[in-house]
Amino acid sequence: MKILFFGRGVISTQYAWAFEQAGHTVEFYVRKGRKETLGSRIELEMWDTRKGKTLIKESWNVKLNEEILPNYDLILVSVNTEQLPEVAQFLSTAAGNTPILIFNNIWQDLKSSIAPLSMNNVVFGFPGAGGGIADNKLRGGFLKMVILEKPRAGTEHINQLVKECFESAHFKISWVKDMQNWLWNHFAMNAAMEAEVLKRGSFPALMNHSASFSNVGLNMREMIPVLKARGAKLDAISLLLTKIPPGLLGTLFNKVIFAKGSLPRLFVEYNNSKAGFAVLEVVREAKKAGITLPRLTMAFEITEYAKEI
């Protein structure tokens, strides 16, 4: 297949590398002027866990385009959440009928989040990867599992295309029946974590404070009324974050899930992105519904986003 990745970010780069290794042709769309700035190579230092645990270290040659041609089999979009509306608007005219995989965190309802794109031309999923890019070097990695929504009426052919693509690259797919509900829960979890990142100053700093994940659980509990107001049902991870006593939850995350040397911990430690937008979106929603979020609001008030409420 010939696959276009929208932007040369962390997620796009890692999966593009894996797909190229599987024999697919991969290219990146970048904004005008970025092709020269980014250059034709990127340094990779990333963990590949599809077959065991392998550290990939190489200088990878990439093809960047500043326009979208009508000859791609699939477009994969994984961008910062706040960029998605603008990207969807652009692709509604630039992508033609090319199938699109939205590999993204989303808080709004799915249809409005990609308008004016047609839901019949889009499938939704979520990556199992993380890390960051600094000085043209990517540090991170990806897991074997990816999340994809089960086919909706009219998207069966796109789901099959995406399925074949990931399976050809030896990824395992976890199918989600209600992708909207899954994304609502995941976005809230991100907001709970980002609130702590704002307090600590960075994603790596989050890992160096033993109370961080106890507080993530408390932040998540605070957001339950907001999720319920949206009509969301708490999934297994949300229930874990809200039902386990904070102290025990902190131990579980610090000693097991994000244990020193574990890949999930490394993915967070390499993350150099700016936190805050997920918190902004949840606080906005809570305010509309008349719900108070003192913990999130306190973390949020010290950021540049505070004036947007």
Side-chain angles (χ1 to χ4, degrees):
M1 297 183 195
K2 188 173 183 180
I3 307 166
L4 181 70
F5 290 79
F6 197 98
R8 204 213 61 179
V10 175
I11 303 302
S12 293
T13 301
Q14 294 187 96
Y15 284 102
W17 178 88
F19 289 159
E20 185 178 270
Q21 292 290 308
H24 300 290
T25 299
V26 301
E27 298 177 359
F28 297 87
Y29 168 80
V30 295
R31 299 189 306 273
K32 291 193 181 299
R34 293 287 285 165
K35 182 175 180 178
E36 184 176 351
T37 303
L38 293 172
S40 61
R41 304 190 75 82
I42 181 169
E43 302 302 314
L44 303 178
E45 184 179 314
M46 61 188 189
W47 291 96
D48 177 358
T49 67
R50 289 171 297 169
K51 296 179 180 179
K53 183 179 174 182
T54 305
L55 179 60
I56 308 299
K57 296 183 74 172
E58 68 173 79
S59 181
W60 184 40
N61 188 45
V62 296
K63 183 175 181 180
L64 308 180
N65 296 325
E66 293 181 346
E67 60 180 339
I68 296 180
L69 303 174
N71 61 342
Y72 297 103
D73 298 301
L74 177 69
I75 296 175
L76 189 149
V77 175
S78 183
V79 297
N80 294 332
T81 306
E82 58 267 38
Q83 296 174 316
L84 187 56
E86 182 182 353
V87 171
Q89 181 72 43
F90 173 73
L91 288 176
S92 68
T93 56
N97 294 320
T98 305
I100 299 171
L101 169 63
I102 304 292
F103 222 33
N104 232 84
N105 218 11
I106 297 173
W107 179 241
Q108 305 306 322
D109 71 275
L110 298 185
K111 185 175 181 179
S112 65
S113 72
I114 62 160
L117 287 171
S118 168
M119 288 287 283
N120 288 336
N121 205 45
V122 169
V123 296
F124 296 88
F126 201 84
I133 297 177
D135 299 324
N136 203 42
K137 181 175 183 177
L138 185 153
R139 301 177 72 203
F142 50 85
L143 307 175
K144 186 175 184 177
M145 184 76 71
V146 297
I147 302 292
L148 289 177
E149 67 167 332
K150 287 186 176 180
R152 289 172 276 109
T155 69
E156 295 87 352
H157 64 296
I158 305 179
N159 281 85
Q160 183 62 28
L161 180 76
V162 173
K163 174 180 180 291
E164 291 174 1
C165 185
F166 277 100
E167 290 183 342
S168 73
H170 307 291
F171 287 100
K172 185 176 181 181
I173 297 170
S174 177
W175 295 100
V176 173
K177 183 177 181 180
D178 188 347
M179 197 68 193
Q180 178 73 86
N181 193 72
W182 190 94
L183 284 167
W184 276 339
N185 277 268
H186 189 273
F187 196 97
M189 182 184 69
N190 267 26
M193 184 174 289
E194 283 193 16
E196 287 305 298
V197 173
L198 293 175
K199 289 165 60 177
R200 305 302 182 189
S202 69
F203 282 93
L206 175 76
M207 294 294 165
N208 296 324
H209 292 267
S210 59
S212 290
F213 288 105
S214 299
N215 291 334
V216 168
L218 293 171
N219 295 342
M220 193 69 186
R221 291 184 188 191
E222 187 175 84
M223 286 185 284
I224 290 177
V226 185
L227 284 168
K228 288 184 176 179
R230 301 217 102 179
K233 298 178 181 178
L234 297 187
D235 63 14
I237 295 178
S238 294
L239 286 170
L240 173 74
L241 289 171
T242 56
K243 297 297 184 182
I244 294 181
L248 180 58
L249 184 66
T251 300
L252 175 64
F253 273 85
N254 284 305
K255 301 296 185 182
V256 182
I257 299 173
F258 291 104
K260 288 186 178 180
S262 69
L263 291 186
R265 186 184 183 97
L266 288 176
F267 294 171
V268 175
E269 288 178 340
Y270 294 152
N271 188 340
N272 56 1
S273 63
K274 183 174 72 172
F277 186 78
V279 184
L280 168 65
E281 289 287 88
V282 174
V283 171
R284 275 177 174 165
E285 185 73 19
K287 188 174 182 180
K288 289 178 185 176
I291 299 169
T292 58
L293 300 177
R295 295 183 63 87
L296 265 70
T297 302
M298 186 181 299
F300 185 69
E301 284 177 342
I302 63 174
T303 74
E304 64 188 74
Y305 291 117
K307 61 182 180 295
E308 298 185 35
I309 296 295

